[in-house]
mmCIF file of all heavy atoms in Angstrom:
data_model
loop_
_atom_site.group_PDB
_atom_site.id
_atom_site.type_symbol
_atom_site.label_atom_id
_atom_site.label_comp_id
_atom_site.label_asym_id
_atom_site.label_seq_id
_atom_site.Cartn_x
_atom_site.Cartn_y
_atom_site.Cartn_z
ATOM 1 N N LYS D 1 -7.675 -6.535 -16.721
ATOM 2 C CA LYS D 1 -8.973 -6.793 -16.130
ATOM 3 C C LYS D 1 -8.916 -8.206 -15.515
ATOM 4 O O LYS D 1 -8.880 -9.179 -16.205
ATOM 5 C CB LYS D 1 -10.139 -6.690 -17.124
ATOM 6 C CG LYS D 1 -10.249 -5.277 -17.759
ATOM 7 C CD LYS D 1 -10.555 -4.281 -16.712
ATOM 8 C CE LYS D 1 -10.793 -2.868 -17.351
ATOM 9 N NZ LYS D 1 -10.999 -1.847 -16.319
ATOM 10 N N LEU D 2 -8.968 -8.247 -14.181
ATOM 11 C CA LEU D 2 -8.849 -9.582 -13.563
ATOM 12 C C LEU D 2 -10.174 -10.322 -13.555
ATOM 13 O O LEU D 2 -10.162 -11.563 -13.398
ATOM 14 C CB LEU D 2 -8.320 -9.363 -12.113
ATOM 15 C CG LEU D 2 -6.954 -8.717 -11.955
ATOM 16 C CD1 LEU D 2 -6.543 -8.693 -10.502
ATOM 17 C CD2 LEU D 2 -5.938 -9.525 -12.785
ATOM 18 N N LEU D 3 -11.234 -9.604 -13.710
ATOM 19 C CA LEU D 3 -12.561 -10.232 -13.902
ATOM 20 C C LEU D 3 -13.325 -9.417 -14.930
ATOM 21 O O LEU D 3 -12.961 -8.284 -15.244
ATOM 22 C CB LEU D 3 -13.360 -10.262 -12.623
ATOM 23 C CG LEU D 3 -12.894 -11.279 -11.566
ATOM 24 C CD1 LEU D 3 -13.650 -11.117 -10.232
ATOM 25 C CD2 LEU D 3 -13.032 -12.717 -12.063
ATOM 26 N N ASN D 4 -14.393 -9.992 -15.503
ATOM 27 C CA ASN D 4 -15.171 -9.322 -16.508
ATOM 28 C C ASN D 4 -16.238 -8.389 -15.906
ATOM 29 O O ASN D 4 -17.117 -7.936 -16.606
ATOM 30 C CB ASN D 4 -15.832 -10.333 -17.460
ATOM 31 C CG ASN D 4 -14.761 -11.102 -18.232
ATOM 32 O OD1 ASN D 4 -13.749 -10.571 -18.523
ATOM 33 N ND2 ASN D 4 -15.034 -12.383 -18.536
ATOM 34 N N ARG D 5 -16.145 -8.148 -14.607
ATOM 35 C CA ARG D 5 -16.990 -7.176 -13.962
ATOM 36 C C ARG D 5 -16.117 -6.188 -13.235
ATOM 37 O O ARG D 5 -15.051 -6.500 -12.776
ATOM 38 C CB ARG D 5 -17.959 -7.923 -12.990
ATOM 39 C CG ARG D 5 -17.257 -8.842 -12.005
ATOM 40 C CD ARG D 5 -18.310 -9.553 -11.113
ATOM 41 N NE ARG D 5 -17.669 -10.539 -10.204
ATOM 42 C CZ ARG D 5 -17.487 -11.816 -10.488
ATOM 43 N NH1 ARG D 5 -17.794 -12.309 -11.661
ATOM 44 N NH2 ARG D 5 -16.930 -12.634 -9.603
ATOM 45 N N PRO D 6 -16.566 -4.959 -13.150
ATOM 46 C CA PRO D 6 -15.733 -3.892 -12.520
ATOM 47 C C PRO D 6 -15.517 -4.156 -11.025
ATOM 48 O O PRO D 6 -16.411 -4.535 -10.265
ATOM 49 C CB PRO D 6 -16.528 -2.615 -12.795
ATOM 50 C CG PRO D 6 -17.998 -3.054 -12.937
ATOM 51 C CD PRO D 6 -17.910 -4.434 -13.555
ATOM 52 N N ALA D 7 -14.268 -3.855 -10.603
ATOM 53 C CA ALA D 7 -13.973 -3.885 -9.219
ATOM 54 C C ALA D 7 -14.436 -2.597 -8.505
ATOM 55 O O ALA D 7 -14.638 -1.617 -9.180
ATOM 56 C CB ALA D 7 -12.447 -4.044 -9.029
ATOM 57 N N PRO D 8 -14.622 -2.644 -7.216
ATOM 58 C CA PRO D 8 -15.052 -1.432 -6.453
ATOM 59 C C PRO D 8 -13.948 -0.387 -6.549
ATOM 60 O O PRO D 8 -12.754 -0.717 -6.632
ATOM 61 C CB PRO D 8 -15.275 -1.912 -5.042
ATOM 62 C CG PRO D 8 -14.481 -3.163 -4.920
ATOM 63 C CD PRO D 8 -14.496 -3.814 -6.281
ATOM 64 N N THR D 9 -14.319 0.849 -6.499
ATOM 65 C CA THR D 9 -13.360 1.990 -6.450
ATOM 66 C C THR D 9 -13.084 2.312 -4.974
ATOM 67 O O THR D 9 -13.987 2.652 -4.235
ATOM 68 C CB THR D 9 -13.904 3.188 -7.203
ATOM 69 O OG1 THR D 9 -14.122 2.849 -8.573
ATOM 70 C CG2 THR D 9 -12.928 4.398 -7.093
ATOM 71 N N ILE D 10 -11.787 2.241 -4.637
ATOM 72 C CA ILE D 10 -11.391 2.624 -3.268
ATOM 73 C C ILE D 10 -10.115 3.440 -3.362
ATOM 74 O O ILE D 10 -9.546 3.659 -4.457
ATOM 75 C CB ILE D 10 -11.113 1.326 -2.434
ATOM 76 C CG1 ILE D 10 -9.925 0.510 -3.069
ATOM 77 C CG2 ILE D 10 -12.342 0.467 -2.312
ATOM 78 C CD1 ILE D 10 -9.452 -0.658 -2.204
ATOM 79 N N THR D 11 -9.581 3.897 -2.193
ATOM 80 C CA THR D 11 -8.290 4.553 -2.180
ATOM 81 C C THR D 11 -7.215 3.437 -2.239
ATOM 82 O O THR D 11 -7.225 2.501 -1.472
ATOM 83 C CB THR D 11 -8.100 5.355 -0.894
ATOM 84 O OG1 THR D 11 -9.100 6.385 -0.779
ATOM 85 C CG2 THR D 11 -6.735 6.035 -0.903
ATOM 86 N N ILE D 12 -6.294 3.600 -3.231
ATOM 87 C CA ILE D 12 -5.236 2.617 -3.401
ATOM 88 C C ILE D 12 -3.870 3.283 -3.284
ATOM 89 O O ILE D 12 -3.815 4.525 -3.425
ATOM 90 C CB ILE D 12 -5.353 1.844 -4.753
ATOM 91 C CG1 ILE D 12 -5.173 2.796 -5.947
ATOM 92 C CG2 ILE D 12 -6.696 1.093 -4.843
ATOM 93 C CD1 ILE D 12 -5.069 2.100 -7.276
ATOM 94 N N ASP D 13 -2.863 2.479 -3.120
ATOM 95 C CA ASP D 13 -1.526 3.069 -2.989
ATOM 96 C C ASP D 13 -1.040 3.616 -4.327
ATOM 97 O O ASP D 13 -0.376 4.687 -4.346
ATOM 98 C CB ASP D 13 -0.517 1.976 -2.522
ATOM 99 C CG ASP D 13 0.875 2.465 -2.374
ATOM 100 O OD1 ASP D 13 1.172 3.077 -1.374
ATOM 101 O OD2 ASP D 13 1.664 2.270 -3.343
ATOM 102 N N GLY D 14 -1.277 2.976 -5.427
ATOM 103 C CA GLY D 14 -0.974 3.505 -6.701
ATOM 104 C C GLY D 14 0.445 3.136 -7.234
ATOM 105 O O GLY D 14 0.619 2.989 -8.412
ATOM 106 N N ASP D 15 1.366 3.019 -6.306
ATOM 107 C CA ASP D 15 2.749 2.685 -6.666
ATOM 108 C C ASP D 15 3.195 1.439 -5.923
ATOM 109 O O ASP D 15 4.273 1.352 -5.349
ATOM 110 C CB ASP D 15 3.692 3.860 -6.375
ATOM 111 C CG ASP D 15 5.104 3.639 -6.973
ATOM 112 O OD1 ASP D 15 5.276 2.767 -7.886
ATOM 113 O OD2 ASP D 15 6.065 4.313 -6.500
ATOM 114 N N MET D 16 2.348 0.463 -5.879
ATOM 115 C CA MET D 16 2.536 -0.745 -5.121
ATOM 116 C C MET D 16 3.642 -1.616 -5.704
ATOM 117 O O MET D 16 3.625 -1.946 -6.904
ATOM 118 C CB MET D 16 1.240 -1.501 -5.102
ATOM 119 C CG MET D 16 1.255 -2.877 -4.326
ATOM 120 S SD MET D 16 1.935 -2.768 -2.642
ATOM 121 C CE MET D 16 0.951 -1.453 -1.929
ATOM 122 N N HIS D 17 4.679 -1.902 -4.933
ATOM 123 C CA HIS D 17 5.654 -2.924 -5.260
ATOM 124 C C HIS D 17 6.334 -3.266 -3.953
ATOM 125 O O HIS D 17 6.256 -2.537 -2.956
ATOM 126 C CB HIS D 17 6.611 -2.459 -6.344
ATOM 127 C CG HIS D 17 7.357 -1.180 -6.085
ATOM 128 N ND1 HIS D 17 8.387 -1.132 -5.164
ATOM 129 C CD2 HIS D 17 7.202 0.086 -6.536
ATOM 130 C CE1 HIS D 17 8.830 0.122 -5.111
ATOM 131 N NE2 HIS D 17 8.131 0.886 -5.915
ATOM 132 N N ILE D 18 7.134 -4.358 -4.013
ATOM 133 C CA ILE D 18 7.648 -4.869 -2.749
ATOM 134 C C ILE D 18 8.669 -3.944 -2.110
ATOM 135 O O ILE D 18 8.824 -3.955 -0.872
ATOM 136 C CB ILE D 18 8.287 -6.292 -3.001
ATOM 137 C CG1 ILE D 18 8.506 -7.039 -1.631
ATOM 138 C CG2 ILE D 18 9.565 -6.159 -3.762
ATOM 139 C CD1 ILE D 18 7.235 -7.243 -0.859
ATOM 140 N N GLN D 19 9.371 -3.081 -2.844
ATOM 141 C CA GLN D 19 10.289 -2.155 -2.242
ATOM 142 C C GLN D 19 9.613 -0.926 -1.583
ATOM 143 O O GLN D 19 10.271 -0.119 -0.951
ATOM 144 C CB GLN D 19 11.340 -1.688 -3.265
ATOM 145 C CG GLN D 19 12.300 -2.796 -3.652
ATOM 146 C CD GLN D 19 13.037 -3.420 -2.525
ATOM 147 O OE1 GLN D 19 12.959 -4.636 -2.293
ATOM 148 N NE2 GLN D 19 13.806 -2.630 -1.726
ATOM 149 N N ASN D 20 8.291 -0.804 -1.719
ATOM 150 C CA ASN D 20 7.582 0.240 -1.028
ATOM 151 C C ASN D 20 6.951 -0.309 0.254
ATOM 152 O O ASN D 20 5.954 0.235 0.749
ATOM 153 C CB ASN D 20 6.514 0.840 -1.946
ATOM 154 C CG ASN D 20 7.026 2.056 -2.707
ATOM 155 O OD1 ASN D 20 8.166 2.536 -2.427
ATOM 156 N ND2 ASN D 20 6.327 2.513 -3.690
ATOM 157 N N PHE D 21 7.516 -1.357 0.779
ATOM 158 C CA PHE D 21 7.245 -1.857 2.129
ATOM 159 C C PHE D 21 8.483 -1.666 2.965
ATOM 160 O O PHE D 21 9.596 -1.853 2.481
ATOM 161 C CB PHE D 21 6.837 -3.324 2.138
ATOM 162 C CG PHE D 21 5.466 -3.586 1.498
ATOM 163 C CD1 PHE D 21 5.303 -3.659 0.126
ATOM 164 C CD2 PHE D 21 4.350 -3.816 2.338
ATOM 165 C CE1 PHE D 21 4.075 -3.925 -0.441
ATOM 166 C CE2 PHE D 21 3.129 -4.095 1.759
ATOM 167 C CZ PHE D 21 2.992 -4.149 0.412
ATOM 168 N N GLY D 22 8.262 -1.378 4.201
ATOM 169 C CA GLY D 22 9.432 -1.260 5.114
ATOM 170 C C GLY D 22 8.989 -1.025 6.537
ATOM 171 O O GLY D 22 7.768 -0.996 6.876
ATOM 172 N N THR D 23 9.912 -0.817 7.415
ATOM 173 C CA THR D 23 9.601 -0.525 8.854
ATOM 174 C C THR D 23 9.435 0.946 9.057
ATOM 175 O O THR D 23 10.078 1.800 8.359
ATOM 176 C CB THR D 23 10.681 -1.075 9.752
ATOM 177 O OG1 THR D 23 11.929 -0.576 9.339
ATOM 178 C CG2 THR D 23 10.721 -2.626 9.708
ATOM 179 N N PHE D 24 8.638 1.291 10.033
ATOM 180 C CA PHE D 24 8.458 2.647 10.443
ATOM 181 C C PHE D 24 7.870 2.595 11.835
ATOM 182 O O PHE D 24 7.569 1.563 12.398
ATOM 183 C CB PHE D 24 7.482 3.388 9.512
ATOM 184 C CG PHE D 24 6.163 2.723 9.288
ATOM 185 C CD1 PHE D 24 5.080 2.945 10.133
ATOM 186 C CD2 PHE D 24 5.998 1.835 8.229
ATOM 187 C CE1 PHE D 24 3.858 2.313 9.949
ATOM 188 C CE2 PHE D 24 4.780 1.185 8.013
ATOM 189 C CZ PHE D 24 3.703 1.396 8.841
ATOM 190 N N ARG D 25 7.843 3.763 12.516
ATOM 191 C CA ARG D 25 7.315 3.832 13.867
ATOM 192 C C ARG D 25 5.820 3.724 13.872
ATOM 193 O O ARG D 25 5.111 4.516 13.236
ATOM 194 C CB ARG D 25 7.746 5.127 14.568
ATOM 195 C CG ARG D 25 7.464 5.201 16.050
ATOM 196 C CD ARG D 25 7.847 6.533 16.672
ATOM 197 N NE ARG D 25 9.200 6.914 16.233
ATOM 198 C CZ ARG D 25 9.472 8.146 15.821
ATOM 199 N NH1 ARG D 25 8.529 9.055 15.744
ATOM 200 N NH2 ARG D 25 10.710 8.467 15.462
ATOM 201 N N GLY D 26 5.278 2.744 14.607
ATOM 202 C CA GLY D 26 3.838 2.516 14.661
ATOM 203 C C GLY D 26 3.169 3.399 15.762
ATOM 204 O O GLY D 26 3.822 4.213 16.428
ATOM 205 N N PRO D 27 1.828 3.220 15.877
ATOM 206 C CA PRO D 27 1.077 4.052 16.819
ATOM 207 C C PRO D 27 1.532 3.955 18.306
ATOM 208 O O PRO D 27 1.378 4.937 19.011
ATOM 209 C CB PRO D 27 -0.362 3.515 16.669
ATOM 210 C CG PRO D 27 -0.341 2.859 15.327
ATOM 211 C CD PRO D 27 0.981 2.332 15.102
ATOM 212 N N ASP D 28 2.101 2.795 18.690
ATOM 213 C CA ASP D 28 2.543 2.633 20.054
ATOM 214 C C ASP D 28 4.008 3.045 20.278
ATOM 215 O O ASP D 28 4.578 2.774 21.303
ATOM 216 C CB ASP D 28 2.331 1.212 20.529
ATOM 217 C CG ASP D 28 3.094 0.163 19.752
ATOM 218 O OD1 ASP D 28 3.785 0.543 18.799
ATOM 219 O OD2 ASP D 28 3.037 -1.019 20.123
ATOM 220 N N GLY D 29 4.612 3.583 19.219
ATOM 221 C CA GLY D 29 5.997 4.044 19.299
ATOM 222 C C GLY D 29 7.040 2.992 18.948
ATOM 223 O O GLY D 29 8.234 3.237 18.954
ATOM 224 N N LYS D 30 6.581 1.779 18.659
ATOM 225 C CA LYS D 30 7.475 0.661 18.290
ATOM 226 C C LYS D 30 7.477 0.457 16.806
ATOM 227 O O LYS D 30 6.538 0.760 16.032
ATOM 228 C CB LYS D 30 7.008 -0.680 19.014
ATOM 229 C CG LYS D 30 7.060 -0.539 20.553
ATOM 230 C CD LYS D 30 6.582 -1.814 21.149
ATOM 231 C CE LYS D 30 6.620 -1.700 22.671
ATOM 232 N NZ LYS D 30 6.137 -2.944 23.319
ATOM 233 N N ALA D 31 8.574 -0.155 16.315
ATOM 234 C CA ALA D 31 8.674 -0.374 14.864
ATOM 235 C C ALA D 31 7.693 -1.432 14.398
ATOM 236 O O ALA D 31 7.415 -2.441 15.051
ATOM 237 C CB ALA D 31 10.095 -0.887 14.555
ATOM 238 N N VAL D 32 7.080 -1.153 13.209
ATOM 239 C CA VAL D 32 6.150 -2.102 12.561
ATOM 240 C C VAL D 32 6.578 -2.142 11.089
ATOM 241 O O VAL D 32 7.414 -1.350 10.574
ATOM 242 C CB VAL D 32 4.695 -1.640 12.700
ATOM 243 C CG1 VAL D 32 4.220 -1.677 14.123
ATOM 244 C CG2 VAL D 32 4.488 -0.202 12.114
ATOM 245 N N TRP D 33 5.956 -3.021 10.333
ATOM 246 C CA TRP D 33 6.309 -3.208 8.921
ATOM 247 C C TRP D 33 5.054 -3.131 8.076
ATOM 248 O O TRP D 33 4.027 -3.739 8.405
ATOM 249 C CB TRP D 33 6.976 -4.565 8.665
ATOM 250 C CG TRP D 33 7.465 -4.859 7.296
ATOM 251 C CD1 TRP D 33 8.646 -4.449 6.730
ATOM 252 C CD2 TRP D 33 6.756 -5.556 6.216
ATOM 253 N NE1 TRP D 33 8.773 -4.873 5.458
ATOM 254 C CE2 TRP D 33 7.633 -5.601 5.105
ATOM 255 C CE3 TRP D 33 5.584 -6.186 6.162
ATOM 256 C CZ2 TRP D 33 7.277 -6.235 3.915
ATOM 257 C CZ3 TRP D 33 5.183 -6.827 4.962
ATOM 258 C CH2 TRP D 33 6.054 -6.841 3.889
ATOM 259 N N GLY D 34 5.123 -2.303 7.004
ATOM 260 C CA GLY D 34 3.953 -2.137 6.120
ATOM 261 C C GLY D 34 4.325 -1.233 4.980
ATOM 262 O O GLY D 34 5.483 -1.005 4.651
ATOM 263 N N MET D 35 3.275 -0.780 4.286
ATOM 264 C CA MET D 35 3.459 0.167 3.183
ATOM 265 C C MET D 35 3.983 1.491 3.688
ATOM 266 O O MET D 35 3.468 2.015 4.688
ATOM 267 C CB MET D 35 2.123 0.387 2.493
ATOM 268 C CG MET D 35 1.553 -0.850 1.811
ATOM 269 S SD MET D 35 -0.256 -0.827 1.616
ATOM 270 C CE MET D 35 -0.551 0.756 0.857
ATOM 271 N N ASN D 36 5.014 2.024 3.071
ATOM 272 C CA ASN D 36 5.665 3.233 3.576
ATOM 273 C C ASN D 36 5.814 4.334 2.557
ATOM 274 O O ASN D 36 6.580 5.283 2.771
ATOM 275 C CB ASN D 36 6.998 2.918 4.203
ATOM 276 C CG ASN D 36 8.001 2.331 3.182
ATOM 277 O OD1 ASN D 36 7.707 2.239 2.006
ATOM 278 N ND2 ASN D 36 9.209 1.977 3.624
ATOM 279 N N ASP D 37 5.113 4.249 1.424
ATOM 280 C CA ASP D 37 5.157 5.282 0.383
ATOM 281 C C ASP D 37 3.772 5.432 -0.211
ATOM 282 O O ASP D 37 3.243 4.477 -0.787
ATOM 283 C CB ASP D 37 6.183 4.932 -0.628
ATOM 284 C CG ASP D 37 6.494 6.107 -1.578
ATOM 285 O OD1 ASP D 37 5.596 6.846 -1.901
ATOM 286 O OD2 ASP D 37 7.676 6.270 -1.989
ATOM 287 N N PHE D 38 3.235 6.624 -0.061
ATOM 288 C CA PHE D 38 1.840 6.875 -0.508
ATOM 289 C C PHE D 38 1.774 8.003 -1.504
ATOM 290 O O PHE D 38 0.655 8.540 -1.727
ATOM 291 C CB PHE D 38 0.935 7.167 0.713
ATOM 292 C CG PHE D 38 0.956 6.071 1.756
ATOM 293 C CD1 PHE D 38 1.887 6.051 2.769
ATOM 294 C CD2 PHE D 38 0.055 5.018 1.680
ATOM 295 C CE1 PHE D 38 1.931 5.042 3.746
ATOM 296 C CE2 PHE D 38 0.049 4.008 2.641
ATOM 297 C CZ PHE D 38 0.991 3.997 3.675
ATOM 298 N N ASP D 39 2.875 8.392 -2.086
ATOM 299 C CA ASP D 39 2.962 9.512 -2.952
ATOM 300 C C ASP D 39 2.011 9.471 -4.155
ATOM 301 O O ASP D 39 1.568 10.496 -4.648
ATOM 302 C CB ASP D 39 4.371 9.775 -3.450
ATOM 303 C CG ASP D 39 5.335 10.160 -2.327
ATOM 304 O OD1 ASP D 39 4.904 10.177 -1.153
ATOM 305 O OD2 ASP D 39 6.497 10.510 -2.676
ATOM 306 N N GLN D 40 1.760 8.247 -4.663
ATOM 307 C CA GLN D 40 1.005 8.114 -5.878
ATOM 308 C C GLN D 40 -0.433 7.688 -5.598
ATOM 309 O O GLN D 40 -1.170 7.290 -6.522
ATOM 310 C CB GLN D 40 1.667 7.042 -6.814
ATOM 311 C CG GLN D 40 3.136 7.307 -7.059
ATOM 312 C CD GLN D 40 3.341 8.485 -7.927
ATOM 313 O OE1 GLN D 40 2.873 8.580 -9.046
ATOM 314 N NE2 GLN D 40 4.162 9.431 -7.449
ATOM 315 N N SER D 41 -0.825 7.720 -4.354
ATOM 316 C CA SER D 41 -2.165 7.202 -3.937
ATOM 317 C C SER D 41 -3.310 8.072 -4.523
ATOM 318 O O SER D 41 -3.194 9.319 -4.640
ATOM 319 C CB SER D 41 -2.230 7.120 -2.427
ATOM 320 O OG SER D 41 -2.004 8.406 -1.824
ATOM 321 N N ALA D 42 -4.403 7.406 -4.739
ATOM 322 C CA ALA D 42 -5.602 8.084 -5.252
ATOM 323 C C ALA D 42 -6.751 7.013 -5.269
ATOM 324 O O ALA D 42 -6.527 5.824 -4.960
ATOM 325 C CB ALA D 42 -5.385 8.675 -6.636
#
């Protein structure tokens, strides 16, 4: 618990770590870098 009050509930990645970042094709067709694995999201 990072604070003694509850955090908001949102959609999270769930399996966040630095190796789940990488390059992929972005909306304009060019390579971008970001989160690339969402299998454990909820």
